[in-house]
C-alpha cells in the first residue's frame, strides 16, 4: 500500500508551527517512512501534484491569497488540520481585528515610526498583490476543518501524536503537558 | 446535637457541616467541582455557572447552594462537563484571549479550565469585540480584552474602611470594570498585589513586571487545575 500523503502550508503565520514539526528531532526519519510529502515548504513543492490525505494548516486568513490557498487545500486534502493558535483563532495577526484597515495601512506605510521614505504617501495597491481582508479569520470560519492542534507552537509531540493517530487509526494520545495554548 | 449533614456526590457518601456551600463541602471530601468566579472566604456570587451540578436532579450553582441532609448531587458526568466546557468556550470567544502573548498564560484559571476540559477550539464563532486597555492607574494595568466579568475584584478588593475599589460600568456587551479614581490612586502595594492575584485571567496586571516565571514552571504547566483537591 502506498504511504499516506501529507501537504502543509503557512498562511498568516510565522512558520513557528513548521519549526515545531521539525522539532520532532530524529523521529523525522520515522516520519518519512510513515508518510510522503506533497505541496509543502518542507520539500518546496509549490503546487499540488496529486490528491493528499492530510493537510496541515498553519496560520489564519488575513488576505485573499490565504483564502485561495486554504480553499485549494480543502479541495485537494481529505483531512484538514488547523495547527496552532493562528489557524484556530487568528493568533497575533488578529490583534488588528479591532482596528479599521485604513488605520493599519496608514500606520504601516505612512505614519509609522519605521517608515523611512514615502513622500507621496503611497499605499501599495496592485492587482498582483493580495488584498488584505477586513479582519483576520480563523481557518474554520472559511472552510470545514476536521481537527485542531492548539499551541503557539503546538508541541512537537502533539503534532507527532496526531499524525501517527491519523495515519494508523489508533486513538490520539493527549497527555496534559502537550496541549497548551502558548 | 451534631451539625453534620450527610449527602451524596456522584453516589459517594459525604459529610460536612450544615450550611457549607456544596463546592466547599465537596473539597472537604476530596471532590473537585470546577469553579471560576468563586474565591474561598468571600461571599459567593454564582456568576460564571461553571460549578453547575445537579442537586436532586435540578441544575444549581454549587458555589451558592448550601448542603442539606440527604442531598443527592451529580457532579462528574459527560453532559455536565460539556456544559461547563461550553461556558469556557463562550468566555473565550466573547473576549480577546490571545494566550500566546498574555502575561498570565500558564497561571490563568480560565486557560487551566480549558486545559482540564481539553478545549481544542471553541464551538462558537469568535466575536473579536472592541475593548480597551486602561493604564491610567499608577499600580496596575486593566486589560478589558481579557476580563471575563467574574466580579472577583469587586467582591474581594476593599479598603481598610470597607469601601469597594472596583465597580461595574455600563451594561450588556459594554459592561466593564472600573477603578474608583480616588481610591485607585491611593492603592497600597499590598492591595494592588491582591487585585492582581485575585484576577483569574490577565485582566489586572502589575506594572513593570511580566513573564517572570519561565514556561514549564508556571502554575498549570504540569498540574491539572483541581488535582490538589482530588488527591486528598
Amino acid at each position: 500500500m502506498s504511504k499516506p500523503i501529507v501537504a502543509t502550508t503557512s498562511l498568516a503565520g510565522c512558520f513557528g508551527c513548521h519549526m515545531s514539526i521539525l522539532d520532532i528531532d530524529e523521529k523525522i526519519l520515522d516520519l518519512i517512512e510513515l508518510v510522503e510529502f506533497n505541496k509543502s515548504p518542507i520539500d518546496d513543492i509549490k503546487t499540488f501534484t496529486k490528491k493528499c490525505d492530510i493537510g496541515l494548516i498553519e496560520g489564519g486568513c488575513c488576505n485573499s491569497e490565504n483564502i485561495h490557498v486554504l480553499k485549494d487545500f480543502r479541495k485537494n486534502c481529505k483531512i484538514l488540520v488547523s495547527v496552532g493558535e493562528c489557524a484556530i483563532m487568528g493568533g497575533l495577526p488578529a490583534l488588528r481585528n479591532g482596528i479599521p484597515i485604513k488605520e493599519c495601512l496608514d500606520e504601516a506605510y505612512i505614519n509609522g515610526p519605521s517608515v523611512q521614505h514615502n513622500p507621496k504617501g503611497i499605499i501599495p495597491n496592485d492587482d498582483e498583490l493580495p488584498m488584505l481582508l477586513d479582519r483576520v479569520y480563523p481557518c474554520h470560519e472559511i472552510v470545514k476543518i476536521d481537527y485542531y492542534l492548539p499551541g503557539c507552537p503546538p508541541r512537537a509531540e502533539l503534532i507527532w501524536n496526531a499524525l501517527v493517530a491519523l495515519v494508523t487509526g489508533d486513538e490520539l494520545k493527549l497527555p496534559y503537558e502537550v496541549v497548551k495554548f502558548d | 446535637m451534631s451539625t453534620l449533614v450527610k449527602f451524596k456526590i456522584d453516589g459517594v457518601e459525604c459529610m460536612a457541616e450544615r450550611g457549607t456551600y456544596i463546592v466547599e463541602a465537596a473539597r472537604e471530601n476530596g471532590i473537585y467541582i470546577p469553579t471560576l468566579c468563586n474565591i474561598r472566604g468571600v461571599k459567593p456570587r454564582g456568576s460564571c455557572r461553571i460549578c453547575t451540578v445537579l442537586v436532586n436532579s435540578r441544575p444549581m450553582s454549587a458555589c451558592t447552594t448550601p448542603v442539606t441532609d440527604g442531598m443527592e448531587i451529580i457532579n462528574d458526568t459527560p453532559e455536565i462537563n460539556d456544559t461547563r466546557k461550553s461556558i469556557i468556550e463562550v468566555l473565550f470567544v466573547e473576549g480577546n484571549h490571545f494566550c500566546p502573548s498574555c502575561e498570565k498564560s500558564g497561571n490563568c484559571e480560565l486557560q487551566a479550565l480549558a486545559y482540564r476540559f481539553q478545549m481544542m477550539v471553541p464551538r462558537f464563532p469568535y466575536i473579536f469585540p472592541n475593548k480597551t486597555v486602561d493604564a491610567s492607574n499608577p499600580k496596575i494595568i486593566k486589560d478589558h480584552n481579557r476580563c471575563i466579568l467574574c466580579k472577583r475584584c469587586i467582591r474581594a478588593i476593599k479598603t481598610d474602611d470597607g469601601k469597594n475599589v472596583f465597580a461595574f460600568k455600563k451594561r450588556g456587551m459594554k459592561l466593564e470594570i472600573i477603578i474608583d479614581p480616588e481610591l485607585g490612586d491611593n492603592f497600597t502595594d499590598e492591595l494592588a498585589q491582591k487585585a492582581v492575584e485575585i484576577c483569574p485571567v490577565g485582566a489586572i496586571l502589575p506594572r513593570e513586571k511580566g513573564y517572570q516565571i519561565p514556561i514549564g514552571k508556571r502554575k498549570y504547566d504540569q498540574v491539572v487545575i483541581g488535582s490538589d483537591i482530588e488527591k486528598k
Side-chain angles (χ1 to χ4, degrees), chain A residues 89 91 98 176-177 180-182, chain B residues 98 105 115 130 218 220-221:
Chain A
M89 60 84 66
Y176 179 78
E177 299 77 28
K180 291 282 175 289
F181 298 163
D182 62 359
Chain B
F98 293 93
S105 185
Y115 291 163
N130 266 327
R218 300 166 306 181
Y220 301 114
D221 276 341

Side-chain angles (χ1 to χ4, degrees), chain B residues 17-229:
Chain B
E17 200 84 17
R18 184 185 303 279
T20 318
Y21 294 116
I22 295 174
V23 162
E24 288 304 318
R27 175 197 288 265
E28 284 164 21
N29 287 277
I31 295 168
Y32 174 67
I33 297 175
T35 58
L36 188 53
C37 69
N38 196 42
I39 333 158
R40 289 186 90 183
V42 176
K43 195 175 170 232
R45 159 88 188 165
S47 62
C48 75
R49 300 277 148 177
I50 277 161
C51 65
T52 299
V53 289
L54 292 182
V55 177
N56 302 334
S57 50
R58 290 179 63 187
M60 311 275 267
S61 64
C63 68
T64 57
T65 313
V67 283
T68 55
D69 226 352
M71 214 178 222
E72 299 259 352
I73 300 158
I74 308 290
N75 168 47
D76 192 9
T77 68
E79 290 79 16
I80 295 175
N81 283 330
D82 189 59
T83 306
R84 291 169 178 163
K85 192 178 173 189
S86 72
I87 296 170
I88 293 159
E89 291 170 6
V90 166
L91 293 173
F92 265 93
V93 301
E94 269 187 355
N96 296 313
H97 296 278
F98 293 93
C99 292
S101 64
C102 179
E103 292 90 334
K104 192 84 172 196
S105 185
N107 298 311
C108 168
E109 288 181 39
L110 178 68
Q111 191 191 52
L113 284 166
Y115 291 163
R116 185 181 170 98
F117 292 108
Q118 289 200 327
M119 183 191 94
M120 304 306 252
V121 65
R123 68 195 75 174
F124 309 104
Y126 282 97
I127 294 174
F128 293 116
N130 266 327
K131 304 254 177 149
T132 52
V133 177
D134 173 8
S136 59
N137 188 278
K139 296 263 167 69
I140 58 164
I141 297 168
K142 267 189 311 138
D143 189 342
H144 301 127
N145 292 291
R146 302 165 181 169
C147 182
I148 55 168
L149 306 167
C150 64
K151 249 187 166 185
R152 269 195 193 187
C153 50
I154 299 179
R155 288 180 289 143
I157 306 301
K158 293 182 194 283
T159 55
D160 290 339
D161 51 352
K163 284 181 187 151
N164 280 356
V165 180
F166 291 87
F168 269 161
K169 185 175 85 171
K170 302 182 188 170
R171 278 176 180 261
M173 282 297 279
K174 289 180 180 163
L175 184 67
E176 62 182 36
I177 295 282
I178 49 162
I179 312 178
D180 184 293
E182 204 176 305
L183 297 178
D185 283 349
N186 299 316
F187 242 161
T188 58
D189 285 329
E190 236 169 55
L191 209 56
Q193 182 60 28
K194 195 179 168 196
V196 168
E197 281 165 15
I198 213 115
C199 182
V201 290
I204 301 177
L205 296 167
R207 279 189 175 274
E208 298 170 13
K209 267 187 209 166
Y211 311 107
Q212 290 200 309
I213 311 169
I215 290 179
K217 293 193 173 161
R218 300 166 306 181
K219 202 170 172 191
Y220 301 114
D221 276 341
Q222 316 286 339
V223 188
V224 187
I225 189 170
S227 57
D228 53 329
I229 297 170

Side-chain angles (χ1 to χ4, degrees), chain A residues 84-101:
Chain A
E85 286 297 303
C86 299
I88 289 173
M89 60 84 66
L92 296 198
L95 282 170
R96 78 158 160 98
N97 281 4
I99 304 165
I101 192 82

